[in-house]
Amino acid sequence: MTGERTGHHEYADEIGLYFESYGLPRIPGRILGWLLVCEPPHQTAEELAEALDISRGSVSMAMKMLSANKAVVRQAVPGSRRTHWRLRPGFWLDEAAEKARQAHEWIKQTERGLELLADAPPESRQRLEEAKEMYTFLAEQYGRIETLWHEQRKQ
C-alpha cells in the first residue's frame, strides 16, 4: 500500500479483528470499518483494495457477503462508470429488527424443546424455560427499539 497508515486504517483493522472474533471473515469487517470512516463515503473496489492493501478478488468476495447481508449498496456516481459502494442507509436499525426476528425464532425452538420435555421434572425443563424467558424479554425489547430510535432522532 502506498502512503502512510492512518488512524482510519487502524480502525478498519480493528473492525476486521472484531468480525474475526465472532467467527466471521476479517476482510469484510475491514471493509465495513473503512466505509464507516472513509471520505468520500462511497468507494470503488479499486479504492477499497488500495486503501486496505488487499486484492481486488478479496474485495469482490467481501462485497458479495456484505451485499447479501444488506450492509452495503451500490451507488451511482455521476461521471464514473465504476461501481461505487457505500453503507446502506438504515442498516443499523435493520440489524436490530434481525435480532428481534432471531429472538422470536429462539422462542419457537425453546417451546419445541419444552413440548418434548412436557412430562419431565421441573429441573429438567429449567434450562429451556430460562432460555425462553430470556428470548421473550429480548424480543419485547427489540420490538421497542425502532420506536425509541425514531423518538430519539427527533430530539
Side-chain angles (χ1 to χ4, degrees), residues 14-140:
E14 288 172 24
I15 300 299
L17 291 171
Y18 175 81
F19 260 50
E20 194 172 62
S21 73
Y22 284 96
L24 300 166
R26 185 185 300 190
I27 299 287
R30 291 182 68 211
I31 290 173
L32 184 67
W34 184 255
L35 289 173
L36 285 166
V37 297
C38 67
E39 288 299 331
H42 54 81
Q43 302 278 296
T44 66
E46 292 80 11
E47 290 168 332
L48 291 167
E50 182 178 337
L52 298 171
D53 196 25
I54 56 179
S55 72
R56 178 79 170 71
S58 292
V59 171
S60 178
M61 294 290 287
M63 296 320 274
K64 286 179 185 175
M65 178 186 168
L66 292 169
S67 292
N69 287 295
K70 299 180 180 150
V72 297
V73 292
R74 295 173 190 249
Q75 177 174 327
V77 174
S80 176
R81 292 183 175 185
R82 293 190 170 153
T83 298
H84 289 75
W85 296 95
R86 67 171 295 144
L87 289 175
R88 186 178 60 76
F91 171 66
W92 305 112
L93 184 57
D94 289 349
E95 280 290 287
E98 176 61 19
K99 297 288 187 195
R101 188 194 66 72
Q102 290 173 1
H104 284 288
E105 284 299 316
W106 267 106
I107 292 167
K108 290 178 190 174
Q109 294 300 323
T110 58
E111 288 171 346
R112 172 73 176 117
L114 288 167
E115 287 173 15
L116 290 172
L117 298 179
D119 297 329
E123 57 273 7
S124 296
R125 297 170 50 90
Q126 182 179 1
R127 292 168 287 171
L128 283 167
E129 287 171 352
E130 182 180 351
K132 182 180 177 188
E133 285 176 32
M134 173 54 84
Y135 281 101
T136 299
F137 171 79
L138 289 172
E140 290 169 0

